[in-house]
Amino acid sequence: MDWGFLRGVLSRLDFDERLTHWIMMCVNSIHYTVLVNSDQARPFEPGRDLRQRDLLSPYLCILVTEGLSKLMTASVARGDVHGIQICRGAPKVSHLLFADDCFLFCTTNLNEVRNIMKVFTVNAAASGQGINLTKSELFFSCNSSKPAQEDLASIMEVCHVLGTGKYLGLPSMIGRSKKATFSYIKDRIWNRINSWKGRSLSKAGKEVMIKYVLQTIPSYIMSIFILLETVIQDIERMLNAFWWGVGKMVEEFSGWLGTS
């Protein structure tokens, strides 16, 4: 991250000059010392980047990312990039930012892809932060033709994936079969139960296991998504079988993994 760009962002966001000066003092008051052939070299001062594990650094990263957000917003305003709409009348979404990751949305069009690549170039030249294309992925809708998908992936030099997988432990996209999407929750609970079924647990131990281990697995997902009633019923049956005994659990779920 270029320090001059950081100062410019703080200035454009109408930060007080004194506060901006204090922030930049915290950023650039750093020096490094390296060992060369077991000898300590002379200290030197960097000209960019932020200190790791600094409490101020995450907030500064968010402010600097605002530059990329403004570039995407300007491209949408000019009509260079068209976002997506989840329904008629809904606002168009061109980008979503999560920590140090971002999701960009556009139509399957060569001009729009080139405009997004231009945004990447301008942002990298100004901020010093480039997009790591080797760690990036492309996901196309089912309405896109295969030749168009291959051409755009080769132009951007980004890997083409068939699904978005998981992000922060949650599925990035839900298909038509919600039961298949959230089946991994039952798999995780079953694996955790299966790892303990051979050990002798008292009723108190099983209660602690259910309340503080097994029931916490779907709680994070349920805070974001509404699970199907059938998925919840399967989870309840597994917990009941674990509570009442290993023999009942094995008999009831002997072929569960193969049929879920």
Side-chain angles (χ1 to χ4, degrees), residues 161-214:
V161 296
L162 299 178
T164 54
K166 296 179 183 178
Y167 183 76
L168 299 179
L170 298 174
S172 302
M173 184 170 296
I174 301 176
R176 294 183 178 180
S177 177
K178 292 184 178 180
K179 186 175 182 180
T181 302
F182 295 107
S183 62
Y184 74 95
I185 303 175
K186 298 187 295 182
D187 294 338
R188 289 179 57 187
I189 295 176
W190 170 258
N191 292 333
R192 188 60 64 90
I193 291 176
N194 198 43
S195 65
W196 280 88
K197 71 178 183 180
R199 308 181 187 184
S200 57
L201 291 177
S202 62
K203 288 294 183 181
K206 289 185 177 181
E207 182 179 0
V208 172
M209 178 73 174
I210 292 174
K211 287 184 177 180
Y212 298 102
V213 178
L214 300 179

Side-chain angles (χ1 to χ4, degrees), residues 237-250:
R237 283 198 294 266
M238 289 197 311
L239 298 182
N240 292 337
F242 176 70
W243 170 258
W244 290 110
V246 177
K248 181 178 177 60
M249 179 183 64
V250 174

Side-chain angles (χ1 to χ4, degrees), residues 104 113 140 164 198 202 220-221 234:
L104 304 179
V113 171
F140 295 92
T164 54
S202 62
Y220 172 58
I221 297 94
D234 290 340

